[in-house]
Amino acid sequence: MDDKGRVKQTHIIPERADELMQLEISYEKYSSRFAVTVSSYFCPECGNNSVLQTFSDSLKKIKAKKDSIHIVREAIEETSGKDDAVITCRSILESCLQDGDVAFQKYFDGMYEPFGKPP
């Protein structure tokens, strides 16, 4: 893979955090696999953004938050009390709405991209 002309950026993060943040991706165009530590990613071979993969991952994240809310509520109630648990869980659910809005916006922007810049 040719990496000429790209500016290399180095970010130091703890190794344990890197393993937890890493997302393994199979790219449908080349049947290749690579790992990323960001939510918006591009194929390292051609630079193409996999809109469908990004959208699918966003929906999985929203579902995981929603399905785990009872676990979070119980854990926070045990350590910090009921009020903190309610506030935190409400915040998590509200972030699901924002995540969904952003996911749809990125999906439609990506699907429109071959036709030119959106108005």
Side-chain angles (χ1 to χ4, degrees):
M1 187 177 328
D2 188 7
D3 196 21
K4 292 180 183 170
R6 294 184 183 173
V7 177
K8 291 187 178 188
Q9 296 179 338
T10 304
H11 302 283
I12 300 172
I13 58 174
E15 186 176 346
R16 288 188 339 224
D18 181 51
E19 292 171 9
L20 292 172
M21 292 169 48
Q22 209 170 74
L23 174 64
E24 302 243 345
I25 298 170
S26 297
Y27 184 47
E28 60 272 6
K29 187 173 180 180
Y30 302 111
S31 300
S32 61
R33 295 178 51 134
F34 55 94
V36 297
T37 56
V38 295
S39 61
S40 177
Y41 47 84
F42 300 86
C43 173
E45 184 72 24
C46 67
N48 186 39
N49 181 5
S50 180
V51 174
L52 294 176
Q53 182 73 40
T54 303
F55 184 68
S56 176
D57 289 345
S58 295
L59 295 181
K60 286 179 191 174
K61 178 177 74 170
I62 293 167
K63 184 175 180 346
K65 284 182 180 182
K66 183 185 76 65
D67 291 348
S68 302
I69 203 77
H70 68 281
I71 297 168
V72 172
R73 178 176 283 127
E74 289 173 9
I76 295 175
E77 279 182 10
E78 288 178 16
T79 57
S80 299
K82 193 170 186 172
D83 290 342
D84 288 346
V86 169
I87 291 167
T88 302
C89 290
R90 183 183 311 133
S91 177
I92 291 171
L93 291 174
E94 288 170 355
S95 74
C96 288
L97 295 172
Q98 182 179 1
D99 291 345
D101 185 44
V102 170
F104 278 106
Q105 182 66 43
K106 287 183 179 180
Y107 174 78
F108 291 124
D109 285 348
M111 295 303 285
Y112 191 87
E113 189 176 312
F115 304 106
K117 189 173 181 177

